[in-house]
Structures are given as C-alpha cells and as structure tokens.
Amino acid sequence: MIVAGTIGELDQFLAEARSSGKYVGLVPTMGALHRGHLSLVECCGAENDITVVTIFVNPAQFNDPEDLKNYPRDLGGDLQMLRETDCDVVFSPSVETVYPEPDLREFDFGMLDKIMEGHYRPGHFSGVARVVSRLFDLIKPHRAYFGEKDIQQLAIINKMAQMLGLPVEIVSCPTIRESDGLALSSRNVLLTPAQRENAILINRTLMKAAMKKDLQVGMLKKWVADTINENPFLELEYFEIVDRENLRPVSDMERAGEGSVGCIAVYAGNVRLIDNIFFSNFATL
Ligand code: PAF
C-alpha cells in the first residue's frame, strides 16, 4: 500500500494502472475509519483491480466551524487499519492540494438538497459535491463506493454524476452496525458512555416505526419524535419518510413504495447522529 499526499505521487501510481487498462475503484472518506469504511474497501477490492482510499476532512461541507474542529482525526490509526485490507493507495491530501483556488461552485440539486440534511446543514451538499467531483477528476475511478447510512448523500452523488456526465459507476453498500444496532459512524467515538448507551434507541425506534406502517405519516412522525425526545440524552432533529431515489416525502403510508426509507437525525449532547431504515424490509405488526 502506498500513501500519496500530492497529486504528483498519486498520478505516478495511477498512470501505470490506467495505461494497463486496470479498473480503478475509489472509496472517499474523511478518515477516523471504522468497520463501515472497511466494508466499502472490501467491496471495492472485490470488484476492481486497484483500490484508492482518500482521507480528507473536507472543510467545504461543514456549516458549523465547531463541528469541523471536533471532527475525529487519526491518520496513523487509519493507515494501520488500511494496511490489513485490499487498499492499494491512500490519498491523504492537504486542503491546498484539493482546493488550489477557492472552489465557489454552488450545485442545484433541486429538491434533493432542500430537505433533511440539506435543510439543517445549509451548503453541506454543495461542499460534498465540490470535493467528490474534484476527487473524481483527480482519480478518474471506474467505480466509487458510498454507504447507505448517508442515503441522501448517495442520492445527491448519483445526481451529481448524472448532471456532470461523469463516467463513474456509483456503488452503494449497506450500513454496518454495532451488535446492539447503533449505526457505525466516525462520530460515535465522541459519545460519552451514557450517550453511547442511550443512542441504541435510535435504531430501535426506527425498527419499531418500520413495523407501524398502518399509522398515518403524521402520527408515525409524532410517535418517533416523542419516543426519542422522552429520552433525556437524545433530541430529535428530524424524522422523514422519503423515496430512496428521488427523496420525495411519502405522505400516505398505504401508497409508500418498496423504496420508502425512514431517515432520522438525532443529537446526543453536541454529537449529531444520522441513521435510516428501509421500510420494505419490515412486516407491519
Ligand atoms: O461521507 C463522507 O465521509 C464524506 O461526505 C465524503 C463522501 C468522503 C466527502 O467528503
């Protein structure tokens, strides 16, 4: 595994792979890696000749400077984990390398970025699109891998690739969870033991909600809000039921299609956690 910090070092490695017609897969990350990231690396390794993992905490996608400052970073630990995987190249650039000039592009994703994360984190998805399009441009991957935990990000990256006509296949991989159901997230390390213990309510509430499909949408949303907010360690930011492809809110559970997904954002203290659940995977109680 080689570690590249500059575009020159990255190009040197990739030039040979490209000229010999090898398939290049990309796993973009912000580091503080966990088993969720490693599962993306594993999928990538199984489907491509070369696996590139990028580690870059992208300032452009943080609308809150405190959140950027507190975002966990552990490059040494990340490299150690990646050495045990199929990763061939780690690209860990500086901010100046990714953004040699200020990138002021604003993307219009229509309604895809007006709700949920886009609503509560203004500018977040333009920031994600700037960095991911830049990484696609530098690496020119055949395939790129993203987790379903960030389901809205996935829909937006698909849309961005389509809008910019990028020849890359976007591959989605399932959310990886702790044994008690908490979705793996780099932010989990920021939880206090008590917050961590109570955070399991997020997935449990989603699972119960997915079995209450006979409730009206408004009632179901209220039930989720009450269940989360009754816990003194948690505070609900949003719970929405949307179509996983176009993110249109589902207004009638009876007409909810196979692709309906319940998406949630919850604060445990200052730590913001997101998760989601595919309603089609659950029978009504
Ligand atoms: O999902 C993430 O970790 C980030 O949003 C991504 C895709 C690496 C872009 O910075």
Side-chain angles (χ1 to χ4, degrees):
M1 181 179 94
I2 70 152
V3 181
T6 65
I7 295 173
E9 288 163 349
L10 179 72
D11 272 349
Q12 209 178 339
F13 182 88
L14 288 179
E16 199 214 305
R18 286 187 196 117
S19 65
S20 50
K22 290 191 170 147
Y23 262 76
V24 176
L26 167 65
V27 181
T29 82
M30 297 207 297
L33 302 182
H34 49 66
R35 283 186 291 114
H37 296 111
L38 300 186
S39 76
L40 300 178
V41 176
E42 198 182 319
C43 284
C44 183
E47 294 177 354
N48 300 280
D49 302 309
I50 301 288
T51 293
V52 183
V53 176
T54 59
I55 297 181
F56 178 65
V57 182
N58 172 35
Q61 70 188 76
F62 286 82
N63 56 317
D64 174 359
E66 275 300 295
D67 192 22
L68 173 61
K69 197 173 103 202
N70 296 333
Y71 198 83
R73 292 163 171 87
D74 178 14
L75 185 58
D78 291 344
L79 295 179
Q80 214 173 323
M81 274 192 213
L82 289 171
R83 283 202 179 91
E84 309 286 310
T85 70
D86 277 344
C87 174
D88 299 292
V89 194
V90 179
F91 181 47
S92 168
S94 64
V95 174
E96 293 71 31
T97 300
V98 174
Y99 300 118
E101 300 282 333
D103 183 346
L104 303 174
R105 285 175 299 162
E106 292 295 336
F107 290 78
D108 183 359
F109 295 112
M111 77 147 289
L112 288 184
D113 67 348
K114 304 292 179 294
I115 57 168
M116 303 194 294
E117 296 301 288
H119 176 75
Y120 287 97
R121 304 180 69 188
H124 169 68
F125 285 122
S126 272
V128 170
R130 282 180 211 152
V131 77
V132 174
S133 60
R134 173 83 172 130
L135 294 174
F136 283 179
D137 197 36
L138 291 173
I139 294 155
K140 300 190 176 45
H142 296 89
R143 300 190 185 94
Y145 294 76
F146 297 87
E148 286 174 352
K149 185 171 88 68
D150 295 295
I151 196 85
Q152 189 171 11
Q153 169 170 282
L154 194 54
I156 280 176
I157 286 168
N158 269 309
K159 177 79 177 172
M160 181 197 79
Q162 189 195 331
M163 275 163 49
L164 302 179
L166 304 176
V168 55
E169 181 189 341
I170 307 298
V171 184
S172 65
C173 302
T175 302
I176 306 294
R177 298 181 181 278
E178 298 286 5
S179 56
D180 61 11
L182 180 68
L184 293 192
S185 160
S186 301
R187 294 172 194 267
N188 290 355
V189 297
L190 302 173
L191 296 168
T192 65
Q195 289 167 345
R196 168 66 188 83
E197 205 176 298
N198 285 275
I200 59 175
L201 186 68
I202 301 171
N203 175 246
R204 290 200 181 152
T205 306
L206 287 178
M207 290 210 290
K208 285 190 188 153
M211 290 186 269
K212 289 178 182 283
K213 286 193 278 272
D214 48 343
L215 283 187
Q216 292 295 319
V217 171
M219 298 286 286
L220 189 53
K221 285 168 86 166
K222 182 174 174 338
W223 180 82
V224 168
D226 291 347
T227 307
I228 295 291
N229 291 333
E230 269 162 23
N231 182 295
F233 291 90
L234 305 178
E235 192 184 338
L236 184 86
E237 186 163 62
Y238 67 76
F239 171 68
E240 292 291 342
I241 305 163
V242 298
D243 179 276
R244 71 171 288 181
E245 303 292 338
N246 57 33
L247 304 185
R248 283 207 188 97
V250 170
S251 55
D252 181 350
M253 289 310 289
E254 272 172 26
R255 277 197 262 146
E258 276 294 288
S260 299
V261 53
C263 303
I264 198 166
V266 173
Y267 274 98
N270 293 329
V271 186
R272 190 170 181 280
L273 301 171
I274 62 170
D275 198 354
N276 61 65
I277 197 154
F278 294 112
F279 275 40
S280 54
N281 293 348
F282 289 82
T284 308
L285 269 186

